[in-house]
Amino acid sequence: MHNFPRITVVTPSFNQAKYLEQTILSVLNQNYPNLEYIIIDGGSTDGSKDIIEQYAEHISFSLSEPDRGQTEAINKGLVKATGEWIAWQNSDDIYYPGVFRELAETAALYPEVGLIIGDMMLIDEHNKPLRCLRYTKPDYNAMRAEGMLIANQAAFWHRDLQQKCGLLDESFNYSFDYEWFLRLTRNTKGHHVSKIWGALRIHEETKSNKKSQLFYEENCRILFGREIPAWQKPWFKLRRFILMLSQGQFKYIFRGILRRTLRFKGSRY
């Protein structure tokens, strides 16, 4: 297994039976030879536990009991993780084929980095692609200036980095991933792979659809004492623009400019 570092994926689950099996299969169908898969269920009552049991022989560890929410569930899994590279994938989101092997290849090429990310697709409840989100090399100051520039659906970090940074902050219920990746980017070099690695599913129960004000309030709390001066923020947008150009993401840049233009025009009427 020398060329296949152990990868641990944690899936927090609670009453997502409609999508859970797709998430599980997106992990197992990677056919990665050195996988540790952990599912932490918060005591679902919708049949999720039956789905987990169906794949029990392929799951390294599973637990179903009441918890205080998604953050605690992920932490329960992270404590159990033994992989060299670690990630979590939500119970309604998916990985695309070949991601784990691409991660292993990238980790071998860049042994100095502790965080490796890919790009992400937004999909609907029927797996129809809605829009892709392209990222750049992870950077702590850029995250402070522009917000969430990493998606857990397409991010992996080294075990040594997790041991250094600790676990997720359970005082956050919505923007805990933003606070987490701020800590990671502050403590390691990162690398970006310009490929779509994961998908975030948009549906009626998606937290970001229903709790935008709570996300905003937690983001403000996270950034307190970490703020970037307003005059510096345009430089980070310019940095991202230049990096996107260097990746050849011309269509993506054009679509972004067009979308912002239409939004601006719409706001005038």
Side-chain angles (χ1 to χ4, degrees):
M1 298 297 179
H2 178 71
N3 295 324
F4 297 102
R6 188 169 180 81
I7 296 174
T8 298
V9 176
V10 175
T11 291
S13 169
F14 183 68
N15 286 343
Q16 290 282 2
K18 184 176 180 179
Y19 308 111
L20 177 59
E21 186 172 28
Q22 295 181 57
T23 301
I24 292 173
L25 289 176
S26 80
V27 174
L28 300 182
N29 286 347
Q30 298 282 326
N31 293 317
Y32 186 78
N34 199 5
L35 172 68
E36 178 180 56
Y37 190 27
I38 297 171
I39 301 180
I40 306 296
D41 181 78
S44 295
T45 58
D46 66 342
S48 293
K49 289 187 284 187
D50 295 332
I51 295 172
I52 296 169
E53 182 61 29
Q54 181 181 344
Y55 294 96
E57 64 179 301
H58 304 292
I59 296 170
S60 307
F61 177 83
S62 66
L63 176 69
S64 183
E65 64 181 17
D67 55 41
R68 294 187 299 273
Q70 184 180 6
T71 316
E72 184 190 18
I74 296 170
N75 277 343
K76 286 181 179 180
L78 296 182
V79 168
K80 292 286 185 180
T82 64
E84 183 177 347
W85 289 90
I86 303 172
W88 86 77
Q89 187 64 284
N90 301 322
S91 56
D92 51 353
D93 301 331
I94 59 173
Y95 289 114
Y96 285 112
V99 169
F100 295 177
R101 291 177 185 267
E102 289 178 358
L103 169 69
E105 293 169 359
T106 305
L109 289 172
Y110 300 93
E112 74 280 4
V113 306
L115 174 65
I116 299 176
I117 71 169
D119 297 327
M120 182 179 72
M121 181 68 71
L122 301 180
I123 60 175
D124 69 10
E125 56 185 328
H126 305 295
N127 294 326
K128 178 183 177 181
L130 301 174
R131 179 165 65 91
C132 65
L133 297 178
R134 300 287 184 178
Y135 299 109
T136 58
K137 181 179 178 181
D139 180 81
Y140 173 66
N141 288 325
M143 290 270 289
R144 293 165 63 205
E146 295 196 76
M148 192 66 171
L149 300 176
I150 298 173
N152 78 271
Q153 290 81 3
F156 300 82
W157 56 89
H158 198 275
R159 178 177 179 79
D160 291 346
L161 180 60
Q162 179 173 301
Q163 292 176 332
K164 181 177 183 179
C165 293
L167 299 175
L168 303 182
D169 187 337
E170 294 181 19
S171 70
F172 297 105
N173 295 312
Y174 301 97
S175 293
F176 59 86
D177 50 352
Y178 181 37
E179 194 276 336
W180 171 248
F181 285 116
L182 277 171
R183 273 191 279 153
L184 295 194
T185 53
R186 188 175 187 177
N187 285 280
T188 191
K189 294 180 179 179
H191 183 78
H192 169 250
V193 177
S194 187
K195 291 185 179 180
I196 296 174
W197 274 5
L200 167 66
R201 191 183 304 276
I202 305 298
H203 56 90
E204 290 183 355
E205 297 303 313
T206 305
K207 282 200 297 187
S208 56
N209 274 353
K210 301 174 67 176
K211 306 289 185 179
S212 58
Q213 180 61 31
L214 293 174
F215 274 96
Y216 172 76
E217 291 172 1
E218 287 199 351
N219 284 347
C220 291
R221 184 153 64 95
I222 290 166
L223 286 175
F224 182 77
R226 291 169 162 158
E227 299 91 340
I228 286 282
W231 65 269
Q232 291 184 11
K233 293 182 178 181
W235 293 106
F236 288 99
K237 291 185 178 181
L238 178 61
R239 167 192 177 271
R240 184 156 55 93
F241 179 76
I242 293 171
L243 289 173
M244 288 283 183
L245 286 177
S246 70
Q247 295 175 12
Q249 300 289 353
F250 305 116
K251 290 183 179 180
Y252 182 79
I253 293 171
F254 176 76
R255 285 197 301 267
I257 293 172
L258 180 62
R259 187 163 53 251
R260 286 177 176 81
T261 301
L262 294 175
R263 188 183 304 139
F264 173 74
K265 288 183 176 179
S267 69
R268 296 171 60 188
Y269 299 98

